C-alpha cells in the first residue's frame, strides 16, 4: 500500500510544472463530491473548504466554499453550495462571491454489490463576470464566476473499492458581460473575452479507495478526464462574434485525496491536484498549475 501511495504522489507532483483546467469556476470537476450514499444516522452535513491554486502569468488563487447537505431519506438527498474566490496577479487583487449550486442526488435500489446513483443540479452565478480594478476591465482569470446559468447532470457507479462517475455541464443562459480586450491591454498573457460565450463540458472520473490498517485514514487517488465540447467565442471591437480557435479539447487531471476521521461526526480532508494533459487554448480563466485544498466536514 505504501508503494502505491508513493507512486501516486510522484505522478501528481511531476505534473505541477504544467497547467490544467481548474475546477473552482466551472463546477463540474467537483461533481464527484455530490455523489453520496445517504446515511440514516445523520440527516445534515456541512462542508467548509479552502483551496489554493496557481494560474497563468503568476496568478494565485484562494477559493473558499460552504456546502450544506440534507438527507431526505435513504435514497434521496439535497445539497447547496456557495463559492468565494480571490485572484491576485499583475493586474492587482480582486475577490468576490462566485456561484451558487443546488444539487439533488438519488441512490438507486439494486440487488448487487454495484451501486448506482444519479444527480441533477443547477449553477447560478453571483456576478456577470465583469469585475474590475480601478475601472479597468479584467480577463476571465480574475473573475470569480463565468456568469452562466448551468444545468449539471451526472451518473455514478460504485463497485467495491472503485467509483466511476460521468457528467455534463451545459450553459443554458449566458449572463457574461466581460469587457476585456487583449488589444487594449499591455500584456498578451490573456486572450480577449468580451461578451464571452462558453461551450459545455463532459466529465469522466475514476477513483480507487485505499483503506490502511488505521481505519481513521482513507486515501482516494483518482484521474479525471474533462472534455470541452466546442470552441468558445467572444465579440470583437467591431461587434462581430469570433470563435477562439483550439479552445475545445481534452484535459486530464490527477488528484489525490487523503481524509482523516476524527470521530463519527467530524473529518478533515486534504486534496492535491495536477494536470497530465491540457487544452491548447484556455480562455475561460480556469487554468491552474496545481491546487491544494483543505476541507472540514461535520455531520449532525
Amino acid at each position: 500500500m505504501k508503494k502505491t501511495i508513493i507512486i501516486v504522489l510522484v505522478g501528481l507532483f511531476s505534473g505541477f510544472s504544467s497547467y490544467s483546467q481548474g475546477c473552482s469556476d466551472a463546477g463540474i470537476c467537483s461533481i464527484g463530491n455530490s455523489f453520496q450514499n445517504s446515511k440514516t444516522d445523520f440527516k445534515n452535513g456541512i462542508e467548509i473548504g479552502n483551496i489554493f491554486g496557481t494560474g497563468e502569468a503568476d496568478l494565485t488563487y484562494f477559493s473558499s466554499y460552504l456546502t450544506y447537505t440534507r438527507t431526505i431519506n435513504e435514497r434521496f438527498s439535497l445539497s447547496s453550495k456557495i463559492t468565494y474566490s480571490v485572484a491576485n496577479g499583475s493586474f492587482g487583487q480582486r475577490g468576490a462571491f462566485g456561484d451558487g449550486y443546488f444539487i439533488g442526488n438519488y441512490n438507486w435500489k439494486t440487488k448487487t454489490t454495484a451501486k448506482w446513483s444519479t444527480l441533477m443540479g443547477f449553477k447560478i452565478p453571483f456576478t456577470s463576470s465583469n469585475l474590475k480594478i480601478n475601472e479597468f476591465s479584467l480577463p476571465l482569470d480574475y473573475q470569480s464566476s463565468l456568469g452562466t446559468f448551468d444545468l449539471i447532470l451526472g451518473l455514478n457507479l460504485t463497485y467495491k473499492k472503485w467509483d466511476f462517475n460521468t457528467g455534463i455541464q451545459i450553459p443554458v443562459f449566458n449572463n457574461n458581460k466581460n469587457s476585456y480586450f487583449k488589444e487594449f491591454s499591455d500584456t498578451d498573457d490573456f486572450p480577449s473575452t468580451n461578451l464571452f460565450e462558453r461551450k459545455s463540458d463532459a466529465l469522466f472520473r475514476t477513483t480507487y479507495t485505499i483503506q490502511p490498517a488505521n481505519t481513521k485514514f482513507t486515501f482516494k487517488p483518482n484521474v479525471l478526464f474533462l472534455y470541452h465540447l466546442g470552441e468558445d467565442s467572444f465579440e470583437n471591437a467591431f461587434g462581430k462574434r469570433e470563435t477562439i480557435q483550439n479552445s475545445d479539447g481534452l484535459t486530464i487531471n490527477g488528484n489525490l485525496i487523503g481524509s482523516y476521521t476524527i470521530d463519527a461526526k467530524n473529518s478533515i480532508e486534504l486534496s492535491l491536484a495536477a494536470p497530465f494533459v491540457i487544452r491548447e487554448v484556455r480562455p475561460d480563466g480556469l487554468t491552474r498549475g496545481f491546487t491544494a485544498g483543505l476541507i472540514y466536514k461535520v455531520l449532525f
Side-chain angles (χ1 to χ4, degrees):
M1 185 201 70
K2 290 183 179 179
K3 290 182 179 180
T4 302
I5 296 172
I6 291 172
I7 291 171
V8 172
L9 285 172
V10 170
L12 284 172
F13 283 97
S14 66
F16 277 6
S17 59
S18 304
Y19 286 91
S20 70
Q21 175 164 315
C23 303
S24 58
D25 292 334
I28 194 172
C29 294
S30 59
I31 192 172
N33 295 334
S34 297
F35 290 108
Q36 300 178 15
N37 292 322
S38 301
K39 296 181 179 180
T40 56
D41 296 344
F42 303 102
K43 296 294 185 182
N44 304 280
I46 292 178
E47 181 176 323
I48 302 171
N50 293 286
I51 302 169
F52 173 80
T54 62
E56 292 184 307
D58 297 322
L59 263 167
T60 58
Y61 299 91
F62 187 81
S63 303
S64 302
Y65 69 86
L66 174 66
T67 299
Y68 170 71
T69 300
R70 172 67 178 180
T71 299
I72 307 301
N73 53 47
E74 62 179 4
R75 300 267 173 239
F76 186 63
S77 63
L78 295 171
S79 65
S80 59
K81 177 180 178 181
I82 296 175
T83 66
Y84 185 91
S85 179
V86 178
N88 188 21
S90 59
F91 283 70
Q93 179 175 295
R94 194 67 168 90
F97 283 98
D99 300 293
Y101 297 84
F102 302 93
I103 301 289
N105 181 58
Y106 184 80
N107 296 294
W108 294 91
K109 185 176 181 180
T110 60
K111 297 181 180 180
T112 66
T113 55
K115 298 179 181 179
W116 293 88
S117 62
T118 54
L119 68 79
M120 182 176 73
F122 302 92
K123 178 182 78 72
I124 299 174
F126 294 138
T127 80
S128 57
S129 199
N130 197 29
L131 301 174
K132 299 180 179 181
I133 296 179
N134 297 325
E135 298 305 315
F136 287 98
S137 298
L138 297 171
L140 293 180
D141 299 68
Y142 284 83
Q143 305 297 330
S144 60
S145 171
L146 294 174
T148 58
F149 292 78
D150 297 351
L151 171 66
I152 300 174
L153 302 171
L155 174 68
N156 184 79
L157 168 64
T158 299
Y159 180 71
K160 296 183 178 180
K161 295 183 178 182
W162 290 94
D163 276 275
F164 305 94
N165 57 70
T166 185
I168 187 169
Q169 181 169 349
I170 306 170
V172 294
F173 178 74
N174 185 30
N175 192 41
N176 186 295
K177 298 179 181 178
N178 188 263
S179 56
Y180 177 77
F181 285 100
K182 178 177 67 175
E183 296 82 359
F184 304 145
S185 177
D186 60 357
T187 178
D188 291 329
D189 292 330
F190 310 104
S192 297
T193 49
N194 180 59
L195 299 178
F196 182 75
E197 289 187 0
R198 190 170 193 272
K199 297 297 185 178
S200 302
D201 286 300
L203 169 148
F204 176 78
R205 187 204 315 266
T206 179
T207 303
Y208 183 76
T209 299
I210 300 172
Q211 189 72 66
N214 185 343
T215 56
K216 284 184 173 294
F217 290 95
T218 303
F219 298 95
K220 292 185 177 183
N222 62 86
V223 180
L224 182 149
F225 299 82
L226 187 68
Y227 199 91
H228 198 52
L229 296 174
E231 293 180 326
D232 303 321
S233 64
F234 74 101
E235 190 174 293
N236 64 26
F238 301 100
K240 294 184 178 180
R241 184 148 296 276
E242 286 189 24
T243 298
I244 303 174
Q245 299 295 320
N246 301 316
S247 56
D248 58 345
L250 178 68
T251 298
I252 302 177
N253 289 342
N255 180 231
L256 176 63
I257 299 173
S259 64
Y260 177 76
T261 302
I262 301 171
D263 54 36
K265 295 183 178 181
N266 300 274
S267 63
I268 55 175
E269 186 174 284
L270 175 65
S271 174
L272 300 172
F276 302 127
V277 175
I278 59 173
R279 288 186 290 148
E280 184 175 341
V281 179
R282 302 168 303 278
D284 46 27
L286 303 184
T287 298
R288 300 291 183 267
F290 79 94
T291 61
L294 183 63
I295 302 160
Y296 170 70
K297 299 180 180 181
V298 59
L299 302 174
F300 58 96

